[in-house]
Each structure stands twice: as structure tokens, then as C-alpha cells.
């Protein structure tokens, strides 16, 4: 046996799942429990009390007298003790006499022995006359046998199996109702949804986010009750003042703004949450985002719920159709023809079923329950197809709250929210808070401002190489409000801050002139843009995709320097928006580090006032350079790592060019250098990190050249033409294959910096020391064996590199180089130790001076 509690446990679900049980599911669960009770009650009654009592049908006869003797009395007693209710049946039913059979004699003898032998025949006859009923000549075992036979033959099968059918049908209905909670592919999603929903409902952030709307609603209700006419209240997510014009892509001022007449309903826009609550809320936003992406892809839960509802409806129709036909078959009386005449002696029996009336009432009750259950199933189907349950709109929540960006959802996510609404619509309202990006950004802002206080930001301010106050913020959820209270800040760097917003408070930072946006598509308010447009002088933008470049960058009319670092291949050049550079009327320096195959023609928009153009490619070959001809005012031009094989001819048209840098290209010959004679102002030529083999004699035509960089090439000698450049101050030929320094080097009387590190020099010509203006002399990593004593003539020498040579000692005349100190002498320690102690004291003078002052 099993208890009702054990069977009812089939219908039990986790308490947390009850929010997904609408009223009809709950009602059907209760009906299922009642049907279980009916089945168990009927089954218990059937097992304990159900029985059939049968009597043979006697043929009518004329002679109704009983046979003489005591057998009639004995037969009557036997029937009474066999069936329990047989005596009452025999007194009410009239039977005819039966033929005399052999067992009557044996039965009469067995029963007559129970009476006293002293009784007379007259008394027996008197008793026989007083008794009623007809004898059947059957013993107890025969009645038990025929009762069992007729129970199986005469009773309808439905009367015998009714409790079991009800139990089976009810279990099927229960399983159908809760199958979507147990099916592996849906139960995991449901469990995850219920878990997230409960956490969202109880999150302090949800309460905080909805509290402002609640305050507003309570004030409106109060005014309604008092009959006062309330002003229309709304939540504003944008600032009304300073809205950007159509051609200015700004963001509007966002935040919570309430119109209220009384201070009592004002709620602070920023509420400090507990750090733990804030982190939990952030985690919930991420969980909701991932759950939505996972569940919205399918509608399996919806289909499974519809399927199980259809199954229950079909089951209801089936049960009702076949059960209604059996109501009239349940009867108290039944005729039985067991065909066992050779064992009993009778062919027909009249039987009664003691549970007939009870079963009939239980069946009618069961049919009533099934009808109610079925109508609820039909209503469920009507609800499922009345509205599109695979779409859910938060329109009402958007109207009632300040989060107008809550998106509509679809498929299984929408269906689950519809089911939750049948339980309590407040769940969906509080859940919608975690679908809003505005809400998430507000949470980040609150947590960010709580963590990054003014004092903490002040500790992160440092001095850069230009001795300017600089603040670098990296991988934050936003820009802390306290940043804009640092009014003395000169440089602000924002890196990997995807939700950076620059508010109007930036106008307090009057010293701010340089801004870095590294993978940070910052949005600015109109007032903030106006300030940046008038005060910002230098802007660095580093990006991966062109879309990350803020559109307002090209509207900063007072910008002097613009640095763009990112992917700008030739196919996307038009996407850069360089046509907008025409608004940058004061732009002087344009720096582009990318993978260009041609210089965008729209750069010519800033050509009249551009003085410096830098293009750093990633090895992509720069082919089209005709646009350079229009940049007549460019004084500095850098084309680095552009795979140039020759010096571009367009450069020769830049009459104002003063510095040219063609670093890290593939230039092999520089015969075109003769055309540089037209560039009268060219003073610096950098051809380093190329593949140049020799220097043409035409280099003498660059009369005003002051700096020449030819390091990291393939030069094997220095032609005499180089030393005819009388204005040359800096000559760098490091890391080549030069074996000899020509004696003509002494002609460079203005030479101040000479770098020949990493070559094959073994001796130093004495003419080198006629360059008395030398300040830097780099001779490292060569094959030099000795340093001439004439090095003492270099009185202005401050830096001397000798490391990596074959020297055995250093000349003592180094001490006569008055400006040379040990910090400027790059040499091995053991060579330094070969100097006299007085010389070492002179070279260490800069180290001893602080101690002397201290004493």
C-alpha cells in the first residue's frame, strides 16, 4: 500500500517554481489531488469491502412443499452462514422447488445431527412449517465458488477497474502538468530564470532604481485623494538645455530629473550602495545579459507547455467520452450464467454488488472533476493562443519608470515573463530594471563615484616628461565625477573606458589642454563640447575600428595637434571622416599611425595651415603621394615604415620643408637627392633604417643641411662630399660597414654630434679632433685600439662612448675635457680604472660636489 502523501508528491514542485504556476495550473493541481483521493478511496473500499452475493434462480413448481425430514432447516441455516446477506435475500425473493438430488441426503444427515435426539417428529414438522424461504441444496464452498465466478463474469469491467483507471489517468495528468519542470532541456533554463528573477526582485539596486518612481506615484495618489489637481510628472532622461544641433553628434545630458512641487518627494540622484550590493548588482546585469542571449534563441519551453496542455485536453475528451458510457452499467443487481451446472447443479444466478451505489456516486464525482479540469484546459489553450506569448513588451514599465530603454524580449524569455505576470506583475517590473542599459550605467556610475573619490584621484596624478600634471585612468566603467574637480590638471588620459561620458563639469578644468582617448569612444554633452572646442589644444585618439572615432573630434576648431592611431586601410579611407578636417582651422600637427596605401586627398583641407605631417604605417606600401604637393606650408614630414623604395618626387615641391624623415623604408638609392637643392629651408634629413649603399656626391647641393641621419644602412664609406656641408652639426652613420673615417672630417668645424657606433673603425684620424665644437662622440662597438691624446682638444665634449672596442687603456688627457664627467663616459669599468687618480677625481667631480655642499 502507498499513502496519499506519497502519491501527492508526484504533483509537488520546488517552492521557487511557484511563480511560474498561474492560477489555472494551481487549480488543476488541486483537482488532480482530489481525483487522487477519489481513486485511493475507491481502491481502498474495493480491496476491503467489495463483494458479490449470488443465489441460484429456482425453477417454479406446483408442489411447493418441502421434503420431509430436517434437510429444509439445514439448508436454510447453511445459506445464512455462507453469505452473510443471503438470508435477507432468500426472504425477499421467491424461489420454486428444485428436483431432489443425491447431495440432499448427505446434507440432511450432517445437519440433523446438530439437534438433540430427544426432539419428536411433531416438533420438527412444526418448525418447518413456521420457517420461510426455499432450500437450494448448496453448501458453503459452492456459494463461495459461485460468488467469485460471478464477480468476474457478471460485473462490468469498469466496476472492477474504476479505481485503477482513475489513478492512472490522474498520474498522467499530473505528469503532463509538470513535465516542463522536469524535462532536462527546459528545467535548467527554468531553474536559472527563477534564480535570477528572485535575486533581481530582492536586489537593493532594484529598490533604489524604482524608489524615485515610487515617490512620484505616491505624491500623485495623495493629490488625487485630496482632490488637488496635480501637475504632470515625468522622468527626463535628457537635458532640455544645450541640445546639440543636427550636424553636431553629441549626447544629451542624461540623469534622473523629476518635476516636483515639494522637497519631500525629491530623491537624490546618487545613492551610495554597499560595495557588496553593488558588486552583486553588477553580476546580475551580466547574468541577465547572458541568460537573455541564451534563452531568446529558442522557443522550446513555449512549445513544450503548449504540447502538455494539448495532451491534457485530449486526455480530458478521451476520459469523458468513454466514462460517460459506463455510468448506466453500474447496477446493484446482475444476472450470472457461469456454465458450471455440472458442479453446482444450477445454470442461472441472481447476484447483488454491494459497492454499486458507492461506485456510481464516485464515478459521477470523477466525471464532474474531469469536466472542470477539461474546461480549465480549454481556457489555458485560449490564453495560449489569444495573444502572441512569444513576444513581451515592457511598454508599461517604460512609461511608469525612468528607464525608457528597456528592450522587448521574445521566444522563451517572453513566455516565462508572461507566466510570471500571472503570478505577480511586480516581478517583471523589477526584472526589467536589469534589462536597461541606463540602469546599468547608473549603477556603474554610483559604484565608480563611491570608489574613486577626489582624494584617491589626486594620488594618481603625476608629472609627465613635459612637467605637466597628468591623470591616466585605465579600464574603468566610466569617468568618475571627481575627475572634473581636478581643476589644475593639464593632461587627461582615458583608456579602455567604453562608456566614457564627459559632462558639463569639465568646464571647471581651465588648465586642461591635452586629452587622450585610447579605445574610448567618449560622448560629450553640449556644454562640455563648447568648452573643449574653445580650450582643447592637443587630442590623441587610439582606436580599433573607425566607428570608435568620436564625430565631435572634427569640430574642435581651436585644436592644434591631432593624433589618430588605428586601422585605416585604403578601403575604409572614406569612413575616417577626414572631410570634416576643414573645420579644424588651427590644426598644425596631424599624426596618423595606420596602414594607409595612399594619403587621403581630404587631408588637403588642412593643407594651408598644416606645418607637420606624420604618417607611420605598419609596413603597408604607401603608393599614392600626389596629395603632398598641395601641402606647401608643411615644415616637417615623416613617412615611416611605408615600404618606399625611392624618395617620392612630390616631396621636392614642398618649398617650406625643413625636416624630412624617411625612416624604416626600403630605399636603396638616393640619386634623387640632387632635387633637394630646391628645398632651400631643408636643415634635417633622416634616411636611417633603410638599405642605402652609397651617398651621391650631389648631396653637396643641400647647402643648409644641419643634421644628417644615415644609421642602420649598408654604407661602406663616407664620400668627401659629405664633409663639404659646412653647416652640418649632427652626423649619424652608426651601424653601417664603414672602415675608415676620412681626414676631411676636420672640415666640419660646426659639427657638434658625431655618431659612428657599430662600424669597423680601427683608428681615429687626428683631423677628427679639429672639430672642437663636438659635444657628443659615439665610437662604441668598433675595432679601435687606442685613443689619441689630442682628444683633450675637445673642450666642449660632454658625452663620449668607447664601450665595445679593443682598448687597453684610456689617455690621461681625458681630464682636460672640462665638461666631461663620468656619467657621460660610456666605457668598461676596468678601462676607467686605468686613468690616474687625479683624472678620475675630475671626472667624478659631479658626484663629489653634493657631498661637499652637504658638509
Amino acid at each position: 500500500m502507498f499513502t496519499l502523501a506519497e502519491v501527492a508528491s508526484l504533483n509537488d514542485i520546488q517552492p521557487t517554481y511557484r511563480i511560474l504556476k498561474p492560477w489555472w495550473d494551481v487549480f488543476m493541481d488541486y483537482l488532480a489531488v482530489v481525483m487522487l483521493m477519489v481513486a485511493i478511496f475507491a481502491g481502498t473500499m474495493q480491496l476491503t469491502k467489495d463483494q458479490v452475493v449470488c443465489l441460484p434462480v429456482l425453477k417454479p413448481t406446483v408442489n411447493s412443499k418441502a421434503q420431509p425430514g430436517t434437510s429444509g432447516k439445514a439448508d436454510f441455516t447453511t445459506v445464512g452462514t455462507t453469505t452473510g446477506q443471503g438470508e435477507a435475500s432468500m426472504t425477499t425473493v421467491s424461489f420454486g422447488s428444485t428436483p431432489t438430488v443425491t447431495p440432499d441426503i448427505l446434507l440432511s444427515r450432517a445437519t440433523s445431527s446438530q439437534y438433540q435426539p430427544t426432539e419428536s417428529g411433531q416438533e420438527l414438522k412444526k418448525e418447518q412449517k413456521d420457517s420461510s424461504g426455499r432450500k437450494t441444496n448448496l453448501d458453503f464452498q459452492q456459494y463461495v465458488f459461485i460468488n467469485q465466478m460471478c464477480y468476474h463474469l457478471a460485473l462490468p469491467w469498469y466496476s472492477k477497474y474504476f479505481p485503477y483507471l482513475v489513478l492512472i489517468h490522474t498520474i498522467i495528468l499530473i505528469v503532463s502538468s509538470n513535465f516542463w519542470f522536469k524535462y532536462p532541456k527546459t528545467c535548467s533554463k527554468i531553474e536559472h530564470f527563477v534564480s535570477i528573477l528572485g535575486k533581481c526582485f530582492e536586489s537593493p539596486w532594484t529598490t533604489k532604481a524604482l524608489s524615485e518612481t515610487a515617490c512620484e506615484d505616491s505624491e500623485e495618489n495623495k493629490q488625487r485623494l485630496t482632490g488637488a489637481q496635480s501637475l504632470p510628472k515625468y522622468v527626463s532622461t535628457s537635458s532640455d538645455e544645450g541640445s546639440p544641433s543636427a550636424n553636431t553628434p553629441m549626447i544629451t545630458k542624461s540623469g534622473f530629473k523629476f518635476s516636483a512641487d515639494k522637497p519631500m518627494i525629491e530623491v537624490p540622484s546618487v545613492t551610495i550602495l554597499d560595495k557588496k550590493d553593488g558588486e552583486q548588482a553588477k553580476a546580475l546585469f551580466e547574468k541577465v545579459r547572458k541568460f537573455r542571449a541564451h534563452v531568446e534563441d529558442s522557443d522550446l519551453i513555449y512549445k513544450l507547455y503548449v504540447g502538455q496542455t494539448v495532451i491534457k485536453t485530449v486526455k480530458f475528451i478521451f476520459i469523458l467520452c468513454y466514462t460517460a458510457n459506463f455510468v448506466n452499467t453500474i447496477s446493484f443487481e446482475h444476472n450470472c450464467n457461469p456454465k458450471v451446472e455440472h458442479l453446482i447443479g444450477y445454470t442461472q444466478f441472481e447476484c447483488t454488488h454491494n459497492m454499486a451505489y458507492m461506485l456510481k456516486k464516485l464515478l459521477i464525482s470523477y466525471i464532474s472533476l474531469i469536466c472542470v479540469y477539461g474546461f480549465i484546459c480549454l481556457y489555458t489553450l485560449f490564453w495560449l493562443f489569444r495573444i502572441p506569448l512569444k513576444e513581451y513588451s515592457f511598454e508599461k514599465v517604460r512609461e511608469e519608470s525612468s528607464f525608457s530603454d528597456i528592450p522587448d524580449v521574445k521566444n522563451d524569455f517572453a513566455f516565462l515573463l508572461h507566466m510570471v505576470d500571472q503570478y505577480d506583475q511586480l516581478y517583471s517590473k523589477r526584472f526589467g530594471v536589469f534589462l536597461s542599459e541606463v540602469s546599468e550605467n547608473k549603477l556603474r556610475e554610483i559604484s565608480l563615484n563611491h570608489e574613486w573619490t577626489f582624494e584617491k584621484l589626486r594620488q594618481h596624478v603625476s608629472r609627465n616628461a613635459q612637467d605637466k600634471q597628468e591623470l591616466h585612468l585605465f579600464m574603468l566603467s566610466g569617468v568618475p565625477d571627481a575627475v572634473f574637480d581636478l581643476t589644475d590638471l593639464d593632461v587627461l588620459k582615458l583608456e579602455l573606458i567604453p562608456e566614457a561620458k564627459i559632462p558639463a563639469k569639465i568646464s571647471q578644468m581651465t588648465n586642461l589642454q591635452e586629452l587622450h582617448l585610447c579605445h574610448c569612444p567618449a560622448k560629450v554633452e553640449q556644454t562640455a563640447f563648447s568648452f573643449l572646442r574653445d580650450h582643447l589644444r592637443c587630442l590623441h585618439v587610439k582606436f580599433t575600428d573607425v566607428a570608435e572615432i568620436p564625430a565631435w573630434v572634427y569640430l574642435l576648431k581651436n585644436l592644434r595637434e591631432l593624433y589618430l592611431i588605428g586601422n585605416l586601410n585604403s578601403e575604409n579611407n572614406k569612413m575616417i571622416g577626414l572631410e570634416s578636417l576643414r573645420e579644424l582651422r588651427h590644426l598644425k600637427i596631424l599624426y596618423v599611425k595606420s596602414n594607409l596605401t595612399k594619403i587621403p586627398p581630404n587631408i588637403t583641407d588642412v593643407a594651408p595651415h598644416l606645418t607637420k605631417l606624420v604618417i607611420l604605417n605598419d609596413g603597408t606600401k604607401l603608393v599614392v603621394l600626389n596629395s603632398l604637393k598641395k601641402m606647401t606650408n608643411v615644415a616637417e614630414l615623416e613617412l615611416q615604415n611605408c615600404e618606399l623604395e625611392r624618395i617620392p618626387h612630390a616631396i621636392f615641391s614642398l618649398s617650406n620643408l625643413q625636416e624630412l624623415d624617411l625612416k624604416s623604408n626600403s630605399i636603396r638609392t638616393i640619386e634623387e637627392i640632387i632635387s633637394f637643392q630646391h628645398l632651400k629651408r631643408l636643415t634635417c634629413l633622416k634616411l636611417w633604417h633603410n638599405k642605402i649603399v652609397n651617398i651621391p656626391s650631389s648631396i653637396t647641393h643641400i647647402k643648409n643641411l644641419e643634421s644628417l641621419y644615415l644609421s642602420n644602412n649598408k654604407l661602406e664609406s663616407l664620400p668627401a662630399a659629405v664633409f663639404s656641408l659646412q653647416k652640418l652639426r649632427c652626423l649619424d652613420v652608426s651601424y653601417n660597414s664603414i672602415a675608415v673615417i676620412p681626414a676631411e672630417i676636420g672640415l666640419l668645424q660646426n659639427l657638434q654630434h658625431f655618431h659612428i657606433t657599430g662600424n669597423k673603425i680601427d683608428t681615429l684620424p687626428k683631423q677628427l679632433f679639429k672639430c672642437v665644437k663636438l659635444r657628443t662622440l659615439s665610437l662604441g662597438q668598433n675595432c679601435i685600439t687606442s685613443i689619441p691624446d689630442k682628444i683633450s682638444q675637445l673642450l666642449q665634449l660632454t658625452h663620449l662612448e668607447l664601450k665595445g672596442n679593443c682598448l687597453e687603456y684610456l689617455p690621461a688627457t681625458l681630464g682636460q675635457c672640462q665638461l666631461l664627467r663620468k656619467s657621460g663616459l660610456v666605457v668598461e669599468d676596468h678601462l676607467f680604472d686605468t686613468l690616474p687618480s687625479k683624472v678620475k677625481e675630475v671626472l667624478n667631480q659631479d658626484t663629489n660636489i653634493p657631498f661637499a655642499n652637504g658638509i
Side-chain angles (χ1 to χ4, degrees):
M1 289 294 292
F2 42 78
T3 64
L4 179 60
E6 293 172 338
V7 177
S9 64
L10 296 173
N11 197 31
D12 191 21
I13 59 172
Q14 297 182 18
T16 53
Y17 286 179
R18 291 178 181 173
I19 59 176
L20 295 176
K21 301 281 284 186
W23 68 266
W24 52 82
D25 278 352
V26 175
F27 196 17
M28 284 192 286
D29 287 345
Y30 283 116
L31 289 175
V33 172
V34 175
M35 286 188 281
L36 276 177
M37 295 174 64
V38 170
I40 294 173
F41 176 72
T44 304
M45 294 292 292
Q46 189 178 52
L47 292 174
T48 57
K49 295 185 178 182
D50 191 27
Q51 61 181 349
V52 172
V53 178
C54 300
L55 289 177
V57 177
L58 302 178
K59 296 181 180 179
T61 181
V62 179
N63 185 14
S64 61
K65 274 189 176 184
Q67 295 293 333
T70 59
S71 61
K73 179 66 178 178
D75 289 341
F76 179 76
T77 307
T78 301
V79 172
T81 58
T82 300
T83 62
Q85 295 181 355
E87 184 176 356
S89 301
M90 292 175 63
T91 57
T92 56
V93 181
S94 176
F95 295 95
S97 61
T98 60
T100 304
V101 293
T102 304
D104 291 347
I105 302 172
L106 298 175
L107 186 61
S108 300
R109 291 177 181 176
T111 54
S112 61
S113 63
Q114 298 176 7
Y115 296 93
Q116 297 293 331
T118 57
E119 293 180 349
S120 62
Q122 296 297 330
E123 291 176 352
L124 290 174
K125 290 180 180 180
K126 186 177 181 181
E127 276 187 29
Q128 186 178 358
K129 291 180 180 179
D130 294 338
S131 63
S132 60
R134 304 293 298 273
K135 68 177 181 178
T136 60
N137 300 322
L138 297 177
D139 61 9
F140 178 79
Q141 294 297 330
Q142 290 173 319
Y143 273 106
V144 171
F145 173 77
I146 199 61
N147 288 344
Q148 294 178 354
M149 285 288 294
C150 290
Y151 182 85
H152 292 285
L153 296 177
L155 286 185
W157 68 270
Y158 194 78
S159 298
K160 294 179 288 184
Y161 299 109
F162 166 73
Y164 308 105
L165 291 174
V166 174
L167 180 62
I168 293 173
H169 292 322
T170 305
I171 291 176
I172 292 175
L173 293 176
I174 291 175
V175 171
S176 300
S177 294
N178 298 302
F179 184 71
W180 68 315
F181 292 122
K182 308 295 183 181
Y183 186 58
K185 292 185 178 180
T186 57
C187 69
S188 59
K189 294 181 181 179
I190 294 173
E191 183 178 357
H192 196 188
F193 172 76
V194 172
S195 174
I196 293 176
L197 186 65
K199 292 177 181 178
C200 293
F201 187 84
E202 297 174 356
S203 174
W205 171 245
T206 315
T207 304
K208 190 271 168 191
L210 295 175
S211 61
E212 294 159 344
T213 304
C215 291
E216 179 183 354
D217 292 341
S218 63
E219 181 64 17
E220 290 180 354
N221 293 335
K222 181 178 179 180
Q223 293 179 358
R224 278 196 209 97
L225 292 174
T226 56
Q229 187 173 0
S230 63
L231 293 175
K233 301 185 186 293
Y234 60 94
V235 179
S236 174
T237 57
S238 62
S239 174
D240 294 334
E241 78 172 305
S243 59
S245 59
N247 60 352
T248 308
M250 303 297 116
I251 64 164
T252 55
K253 184 177 180 181
S254 60
F256 298 100
K257 183 178 179 181
F258 294 87
S259 60
D261 298 329
K262 298 181 180 180
M264 61 178 293
I265 67 167
E266 293 180 358
V267 177
S269 60
V270 176
T271 301
I272 297 178
L273 291 177
D274 181 79
K275 184 177 182 180
K276 181 180 179 181
D277 294 336
E279 293 300 323
Q280 290 177 349
K282 290 179 184 178
L284 275 178
F285 274 106
E286 186 64 24
K287 287 182 179 179
V288 170
R289 188 182 299 108
K290 291 183 178 179
F291 177 78
R292 180 188 174 192
H294 176 60
V295 177
E296 275 193 318
D297 291 339
S298 68
D299 57 354
L300 179 61
I301 298 177
Y302 171 77
K303 289 180 178 178
L304 190 61
Y305 188 83
V306 172
Q308 69 183 32
T309 305
V310 171
I311 290 174
K312 290 189 291 185
T313 306
V314 172
K315 187 72 175 176
F316 146 70
I317 297 173
F318 171 73
I319 294 173
L320 189 63
C321 289
Y322 88 86
T323 305
N325 295 329
F326 292 105
V327 176
N328 295 326
T329 62
I330 298 178
S331 174
F332 179 72
E333 298 180 359
H334 298 277
N335 291 322
C336 178
N337 299 303
K339 296 181 182 181
V340 289
E341 184 178 0
H342 62 287
L343 298 176
I344 305 299
Y346 296 95
T347 60
Q348 186 178 2
F349 293 86
E350 186 77 16
C351 302
T352 60
H353 185 200
N354 66 329
M355 288 290 296
Y357 294 116
M358 178 63 70
L359 286 177
K360 193 167 187 177
K361 293 177 181 178
L362 291 175
L363 178 58
I364 294 173
S365 301
Y366 177 65
I367 292 175
S368 302
L369 293 173
I370 281 293
C371 289
V372 176
Y373 194 98
F375 287 133
I376 296 176
C377 289
L378 293 174
Y379 173 81
T380 305
L381 289 177
F382 168 74
W383 180 79
L384 286 171
F385 297 108
R386 180 175 61 91
I387 58 175
L389 296 181
K390 292 198 292 183
E391 297 176 0
Y392 189 90
S393 175
F394 284 94
E395 182 178 357
K396 186 176 180 181
V397 180
R398 289 193 292 263
E399 292 175 355
E400 294 178 353
S401 69
S402 56
F403 307 117
S404 59
D405 68 320
I406 301 177
D408 296 336
V409 295
K410 59 183 180 179
N411 289 336
D412 282 345
F413 199 5
F415 175 68
L416 291 173
L417 289 173
H418 280 294
M419 297 294 285
V420 169
D421 280 350
Q422 299 300 316
Y423 183 82
D424 191 348
Q425 293 185 354
L426 184 59
Y427 276 90
S428 298
K429 182 177 180 180
R430 297 177 73 92
F431 190 76
V433 172
F434 287 89
L435 291 170
S436 169
E437 290 187 6
V438 173
S439 173
E440 185 175 8
N441 293 337
K442 190 65 179 177
L443 172 64
R444 290 175 178 173
E445 180 183 345
I446 292 174
S447 302
L448 186 69
N449 292 331
H450 180 50
E451 179 181 0
W452 290 86
T453 60
F454 179 82
E455 291 76 14
K456 184 175 180 179
L457 288 170
R458 175 60 70 183
Q459 295 175 0
H460 284 73
V461 175
S462 61
R463 290 274 179 182
N464 61 11
Q466 291 77 30
D467 197 31
K468 295 181 179 180
Q469 292 196 50
E470 177 183 298
L471 175 63
H472 186 190
L473 299 179
F474 177 74
M475 290 188 68
L476 298 181
S477 58
V479 182
D481 290 342
V483 169
F484 307 105
D485 294 328
L486 301 171
T487 56
D488 55 347
L489 202 63
D490 300 310
V491 181
L492 177 60
K493 291 185 177 181
L494 305 177
E495 184 173 0
L496 293 175
I497 304 179
E499 299 296 331
K501 295 180 181 179
I502 301 178
K505 285 181 64 177
I506 197 173
S507 58
Q508 302 175 176
M509 307 174 70
T510 55
N511 291 338
L512 183 66
Q513 294 188 349
E514 184 175 343
L515 178 63
H516 293 246
L517 302 176
C518 301
H519 302 287
C520 180
K523 300 177 181 179
V524 299
E525 296 179 5
Q526 181 63 31
T527 306
F529 167 73
S530 300
F531 172 81
L532 294 175
R533 181 186 59 195
D534 297 334
H535 292 82
L536 198 62
R537 296 294 180 265
C538 180
L539 177 63
H540 295 248
V541 182
K542 188 175 183 179
F543 53 91
T544 302
D545 186 78
V546 177
E548 295 180 23
I549 304 177
W552 51 268
V553 166
Y554 306 103
L555 302 175
L556 302 173
K557 64 180 184 180
N558 286 327
L559 195 66
R560 301 290 192 273
E561 302 177 21
L562 176 60
Y563 297 81
L564 299 177
I565 305 173
N567 184 15
L568 298 173
N569 56 46
S570 58
E571 298 175 355
N572 294 331
N573 275 338
K574 295 182 180 180
M575 298 177 62
I576 304 175
L578 294 180
E579 61 274 11
S580 298
L581 291 179
R582 64 172 59 94
E583 298 294 332
L584 307 181
R585 301 182 183 90
H586 297 90
L587 189 66
K588 300 297 181 183
I589 299 175
L590 178 60
Y591 178 101
V592 180
K593 184 177 181 180
S594 184
N595 53 350
L596 297 175
T597 58
K598 63 179 180 179
I599 296 179
N602 292 324
I603 286 184
T604 56
D605 293 338
V606 294
H609 42 81
L610 198 65
T611 60
K612 182 177 181 179
L613 175 62
V614 180
I615 296 179
L616 272 66
N617 262 12
D618 60 353
T620 305
K621 189 171 184 178
L622 191 62
V623 180
V624 182
L625 296 168
N626 293 332
S627 301
L628 291 176
K629 295 181 180 180
K630 299 180 181 180
M631 301 183 184
T632 56
N633 290 324
V634 170
E636 297 181 34
L637 177 62
E638 294 184 21
L639 302 176
Q640 298 186 19
N641 204 19
C642 298
E643 288 297 315
L644 300 176
E645 296 179 357
R646 304 181 72 91
I647 299 176
H649 289 279
I651 295 177
F652 306 139
S653 302
L654 306 179
S655 57
N656 291 315
L657 190 64
Q658 299 178 16
E659 181 177 334
L660 175 62
D661 188 351
L662 299 178
K663 180 182 178 181
S664 300
N665 285 284
S666 300
I667 300 175
R668 296 178 181 274
T669 177
I670 53 174
E671 296 297 334
E672 301 88 352
I673 204 169
I674 190 173
S675 300
F676 282 145
Q677 61 183 328
H678 304 294
L679 306 180
K680 304 297 183 180
R681 298 185 179 182
L682 185 64
T683 59
C684 181
L685 179 59
K686 296 180 179 180
L687 299 173
W688 44 359
H689 295 271
N690 280 281
K691 301 176 182 180
I692 301 173
V693 178
N694 56 63
I695 303 173
S697 58
S698 56
I699 196 172
T700 59
H701 296 290
I702 314 177
K703 302 291 186 180
N704 296 319
L705 197 63
E706 297 179 359
S707 301
L708 179 60
Y709 295 84
L710 292 168
S711 63
N712 295 90
N713 279 282
K714 297 182 179 181
L715 299 175
E716 295 182 357
S717 62
L718 292 175
V722 174
F723 305 107
S724 64
L725 302 174
Q726 295 299 317
K727 295 184 179 181
L728 201 62
R729 296 183 179 181
C730 179
L731 177 60
D732 187 357
V733 290
S734 301
Y735 301 101
N736 283 280
S737 300
I738 301 172
V740 178
I741 300 177
E744 290 82 359
I745 194 171
L747 300 176
L748 300 179
Q749 292 299 309
N750 291 316
L751 191 64
Q752 298 180 6
H753 306 279
F754 182 45
H755 304 275
I756 197 169
T757 302
N759 283 275
K760 301 177 181 179
I761 307 297
D762 54 1
T763 59
L764 298 177
K766 59 182 180 179
Q767 290 82 1
L768 174 62
F769 305 104
K770 292 182 179 181
C771 303
V772 295
K773 293 184 179 181
L774 273 176
R775 296 181 181 179
T776 303
L777 180 59
S778 300
L779 302 171
Q781 301 180 36
N782 280 282
C783 303
I784 302 173
T785 57
S786 64
I787 303 297
D789 293 337
K790 289 188 177 183
I791 197 172
S792 60
Q793 298 177 10
L794 305 180
L795 300 180
Q796 298 185 22
L797 191 65
T798 59
H799 181 85
L800 176 61
E801 181 184 352
L802 298 172
K803 195 172 185 178
N805 283 282
C806 301
L807 299 173
E808 295 181 358
Y809 64 92
L810 295 178
T813 55
L814 279 178
Q816 299 178 21
C817 299
Q818 300 176 359
L819 300 180
L820 184 63
R821 296 292 179 266
K822 184 179 180 180
S823 59
L825 179 61
V826 182
V827 69
E828 289 84 353
D829 292 338
H830 71 277
L831 289 177
F832 182 79
D833 292 337
T834 62
L835 291 171
S837 58
K838 291 184 178 180
V839 177
K840 288 192 288 186
E841 289 179 3
V842 172
L843 294 176
N844 288 327
Q845 186 176 0
D846 57 341
T847 307
N848 296 331
I849 288 175
F851 292 98
N853 293 339
I855 295 175

